[in-house]
Amino acid sequence: MRPMTIEGAWTREPTIHRDDRGSFHEWFRAPDFTAAAGHAPVLAQANCSRSRRGTLRGVHFADVPPGQAKYVTCVRGAILDVVVDLRVGSPTYRAWEAVLLDDETHRAVYLSEGLGHAFMALTDDATAVYLCSTGYQPRREHGVHPL
C-alpha cells in the first residue's frame, strides 16, 4: 500500500495475473493493510454502489468517534475517487486527492476515520464496492456539498 498525500489514506495497486481465461488479483490483503495502517482491519459492513456516467456521490463522512474507515475499489467501469481531509486540526485539513479506480488496474483506496469520501462515475454501470469499519448509522452520517 502506498501512502497518499493526506495522512491516513493509502492506495493499493495489486498484481494482476492474466491469461487466456481472464485474470486474477487479490484486492484486499490484511497483512498489507496492517503494515500500512498500523492496525488490523475492522470490517463491519460491505457496500456496493452502481452509478451511471456523470453521477457524483459524496462528500460523505461519519462523526468521530467512532467514524467510519473505508476500503474502496471499482469492480466494473471507472470512477474518480476523491479523499477529503475533514479533520479539524489535521496538517492536511481541507486538502483533497483524487484517484482513478477502474476494472483494469483494480486499484483500491483506504480512508481512515474522519476523512471524507466522494466519487464520480466515469462510465455507465460503474460499480464501486467498499468495506466499512462501522455500520451505517444515519444520525452520525454527514455530507459536504462537493462543489
Side-chain angles (χ1 to χ4, degrees), residues 120-135:
M120 176 173 278
L122 302 177
T123 59
D124 287 326
D125 289 334
T127 305
V129 294
Y130 42 108
L131 305 175
C132 302
S133 64
T134 59

Side-chain angles (χ1 to χ4, degrees), residues 98-123:
V99 179
L100 176 67
L101 304 181
D102 62 26
D103 59 9
E104 291 296 316
T105 64
H106 299 286
R107 188 177 297 114
V109 65
Y110 172 72
L111 304 84
S112 293
E113 295 84 351
L115 296 176
H117 180 246
F119 67 84
M120 176 173 278
L122 302 177
T123 59

Side-chain angles (χ1 to χ4, degrees), residues 7 13 39 42 62:
E7 185 179 333
E13 194 160 336
H39 60 83
V42 176

